[in-house]
Amino acid sequence: MLKNLTYGMKNVIRILYLEDVPADAARLDYELLKGGMIFRSHRVDSREDFLRALEQPPDIILSDHGLPAFDGLQALGVAREKCPEVPFIFVTNSLTPQMEIEKLVGKVADYVLKSKLDYLPMAVKRALRVAQENRARKQLLDELREQAEFITRNKLMLPICSGCKKVRDDENQWKTPEIYFRDLLKIQFTHGLCPDCIPKYFPGKEGKINPLY
């Protein structure tokens, strides 16, 4: 059963429930509505339906643990294989040591007790935010890797001034290395002093100044 539910947020979140008790799924809907979330929920209660639902991965998975034929840990394994970037939250009556271990090693975004469902909206929002940050970080790393591979593959040589050490870009503009690599590779630099430069700027302070200052 699909339900479109809105309550004060901008984007519709696609939520997959692995839950064999319809009334419990309705309770999750209620708590998320109270938390001000716009979402579309889809409940499944079997391995076959779960696999079918993952063919179009949701934004987040909320899973009970004690289903008779397909428990939460099995569902977690399938989800990590099919859509590892989708956050997974256990929503259950009781926690097991294995569930806590899975959270510690990063496979599970969180777990929520059914007796404390008021925590659910916070857990979902945080899991979605972390997932978005991870996707952005991965995209940035992929872009940096592509740029580095392009430079290596083409064995590019950078024109650099022998005096001021500025670098000339493709538009014949001379830039400091910090600006050049920021524009090219989105690298941000911090500034400090290496051990060789400390005596130049702070005579007699050798060994007393942190080079990373």
Side-chain angles (χ1 to χ4, degrees):
M1 179 175 58
L2 292 174
K3 288 173 283 185
N4 288 298
L5 302 169
T6 63
Y7 195 86
M9 290 182 68
K10 293 182 179 180
N11 298 320
V12 177
I13 301 165
R14 294 170 296 118
I15 303 177
L16 176 60
Y17 295 154
L18 179 61
E19 173 60 67
D20 61 338
V21 181
D24 283 355
R27 291 174 59 207
L28 304 188
D29 284 343
Y30 176 72
E31 293 297 335
L32 294 174
L33 282 171
K34 285 201 309 180
M37 304 186 69
I38 295 177
F39 61 95
R40 182 176 61 154
S41 64
H42 177 39
R43 185 183 69 86
V44 298
D45 57 9
S46 69
R47 178 185 179 89
E48 293 72 21
D49 288 342
F50 187 72
L51 287 170
R52 190 176 301 110
L54 293 185
E55 291 175 2
Q56 295 183 333
D59 295 313
I60 191 166
I61 299 169
L62 306 183
S63 174
D64 195 0
H65 176 58
L67 278 71
F70 184 51
D71 67 30
L73 290 174
Q74 291 176 315
L76 174 63
V78 171
R80 293 287 70 86
E81 177 184 350
K82 300 293 184 180
C83 48
E85 74 286 352
V86 174
F88 189 105
I89 295 178
F90 279 119
V91 183
T92 183
N93 284 314
S94 61
L95 301 177
T96 67
Q98 185 61 40
M99 290 164 62
E100 298 188 54
I101 290 172
E102 297 295 358
K103 181 181 178 182
L104 288 174
V105 300
K107 293 183 178 180
V108 173
D110 211 335
Y111 42 72
V112 178
L113 290 173
K114 289 185 177 180
S115 59
K116 298 180 179 180
L117 285 181
D118 55 336
Y119 172 64
L120 182 63
M122 183 186 302
V124 169
K125 291 175 183 178
R126 181 170 58 192
L128 291 170
R129 183 178 67 252
V130 170
Q132 184 178 18
E133 292 170 353
N134 288 340
R135 286 193 297 270
R137 188 179 300 111
K138 182 179 182 299
Q139 181 179 354
L140 176 58
L141 290 174
D142 289 343
E143 291 174 356
L144 292 175
R145 190 176 296 111
E146 288 177 5
Q147 293 281 7
E149 290 175 354
F150 176 80
I151 292 173
T152 301
R153 183 171 59 253
N154 292 279
K155 298 181 179 179
L156 298 182
M157 298 181 67
L158 299 178
I160 186 169
C161 175
S162 299
C164 67
K165 306 304 181 185
K166 287 183 178 179
V167 178
R168 190 180 69 203
D169 64 14
D170 293 338
E171 298 178 354
N172 205 32
Q173 299 295 315
W174 291 90
K175 300 178 178 179
T176 62
E178 297 97 321
I179 300 300
Y180 178 83
F181 285 106
R182 183 200 66 188
D183 294 343
L184 179 67
L185 300 177
K186 299 183 177 67
I187 294 175
Q188 296 292 333
F189 288 82
T190 60
H191 292 82
L193 290 173
C194 72
D196 294 336
C197 288
I198 290 176
K200 177 180 178 180
Y201 294 97
F202 298 94
K205 299 294 185 178
E206 297 88 340
K208 299 181 181 180
I209 294 179
N210 185 347
L212 298 179
Y213 176 77

